[in-house]
Amino acid sequence: MHARLPKNFVLEERLKRYERAIELMPQSWRGIWKHAAAPLGQAPFSALYLDIGCGKGASLVEVARAHPERLVIGIDAEPICIAYAAQAIYEHKLSNALVIPARANQVCQLFAEHEVDYISLSFPTPFPRKKQAALRTTQLDRLLEYKHVLATNGQLLLRTDSQPFLDFSLTQLHGAGFSIRLLSHNLRRDMPELPVSEYERKLSAEGAVTLGLIAEPSGPATPDMIQTARTAEQSLFAYIPDNLYEDAYIPHGMSWAIQAFRYRRANQERKAHHA
């Protein structure tokens, strides 16, 4: 989902104004983030929290405020989101947070093996078509990369409004060698302490319930596990419930597909009626 450019918003000006919260040469910090990013004269950060697809930074800021002992890093491919997140960090005067213009498939370039303690995936774009599966942030190859940089006792938190996306993600997590510590169909109820992003508030106002899970590395991914994940159904259409979300909230990115399925079912019922 692309952020829209507001009126009178000059991107280059914003990026320059809040550049102290943006790291443009992150590869040079690879392997030494918790030490090198600590304020002068202070001890290294005790943990590194990575927010992949951080958006405008609302959730990132809340984590950084609640855990000053952690280094909180957000990455996002949208320059507008980077500008907003950097502004939020700057305005809250946070010395333990920064943002990096980057994509999810670059984590191994930015962080060393086992350097990251927490990874957050907050409402990733579902990319429902089979041919788009490789773009999902929970696709097997992405998860293997996260696992490489994640500490052996680290955690991955996924939040989504889409049950099909969550079900697909479970097949990929098992294949990548993650165990599921928590699986929730109402994460706000089960983990009320989690910070809320602006995007989550928007979806909640539309009727969404936040689904999610916490996963942990559980050992090596065997060839059989990897093969099972690769042969799992890649189209999110296969995970759509039989009731087609009748009279219920439709997950972000799935509306057109659900409508097409409803038309198809209605046509089948009409043909059966006239047969």
Side-chain angles (χ1 to χ4, degrees):
M1 185 174 184
H2 297 289
R4 294 181 179 179
L5 193 65
K7 187 178 180 181
N8 300 323
F9 184 101
V10 181
L11 178 60
E12 293 76 13
E13 179 184 299
R14 292 289 187 101
L15 292 172
K16 180 65 176 177
R17 189 186 311 170
Y18 304 113
E19 62 183 355
R20 284 188 292 173
I22 305 171
E23 180 51 59
L24 297 177
M25 299 182 64
Q27 291 87 345
S28 62
W29 297 62
R30 186 177 182 271
I32 58 171
W33 280 103
K34 284 180 274 192
H35 292 78
L40 189 64
Q42 293 188 20
F45 290 109
S46 63
L48 196 162
Y49 182 103
L50 177 61
D51 189 344
I52 297 177
C54 66
K56 295 181 180 180
S59 180
L60 178 152
V61 164
E62 291 307 309
V63 173
R65 293 177 67 187
H67 299 280
E69 77 285 357
R70 295 179 186 176
L71 173 61
V72 181
I73 298 177
I75 68 173
D76 204 287
E78 286 280 357
I80 299 171
C81 289
I82 290 293
Y84 273 121
Q87 178 179 352
I89 292 169
Y90 181 87
E91 291 179 347
H92 284 88
K93 301 179 180 179
L94 296 170
S95 59
N96 65 325
L98 56 89
V99 286
I100 300 172
R103 298 182 181 276
N105 62 1
Q106 295 177 284
V107 293
C108 288
Q109 301 170 32
L110 306 176
F111 305 97
E113 185 177 10
H114 304 320
E115 187 175 17
V116 179
D117 299 281
Y118 304 93
I119 291 179
S120 172
L121 303 173
S122 186
F123 295 90
T125 303
F127 297 111
R129 291 190 177 94
K130 180 179 179 179
K131 65 181 181 181
Q132 299 175 305
L135 300 175
R136 297 174 197 149
T137 56
T138 57
Q139 189 266 347
L140 177 68
D141 294 312
R142 297 291 80 74
L143 292 172
L144 291 172
E145 292 169 356
Y146 305 156
K147 190 179 178 185
H148 179 78
V149 302
L150 197 59
T152 53
N153 61 343
Q155 293 185 343
L156 182 148
L157 169 66
L158 169 65
R159 281 175 277 189
T160 181
D161 66 328
S162 172
Q163 187 68 49
F165 183 80
L166 183 64
D167 290 342
F168 164 80
S169 300
L170 286 170
T171 70
Q172 305 300 288
L173 284 160
H174 290 307
F178 282 86
S179 61
I180 307 303
R181 176 184 171 188
L182 170 72
L183 179 61
S184 173
H185 291 90
N186 190 330
L187 207 56
R188 281 289 137 217
R189 177 196 62 204
D190 297 335
M191 297 185 68
E193 73 279 5
L194 284 177
V196 184
S197 68
E198 180 181 335
Y199 187 56
E200 183 175 356
R201 289 192 184 95
K202 176 183 177 182
L203 293 183
S204 297
E206 296 173 3
V209 174
T210 300
L211 317 173
L213 58 80
I214 294 177
E216 300 174 339
S218 60
T222 67
D224 286 345
M225 293 164 60
I226 290 175
Q227 180 62 18
T228 298
R230 291 205 189 281
T231 56
E233 181 55 65
Q234 301 293 299
S235 171
L236 294 191
F237 302 154
Y239 301 91
I240 293 175
D242 291 338
N243 66 5
L244 298 181
Y245 298 103
E246 293 293 348
D247 301 318
Y249 170 83
I250 298 175
H252 166 68
M254 301 289 287
S255 298
W256 62 270
I258 298 300
Q259 196 60 48
F261 274 57
R262 288 175 177 172
Y263 285 141
R264 185 184 305 174
R265 175 174 291 182
N267 287 334
Q268 290 172 344
E269 290 174 350
R270 280 194 293 269
K271 289 179 181 178
H273 179 73
H274 294 293

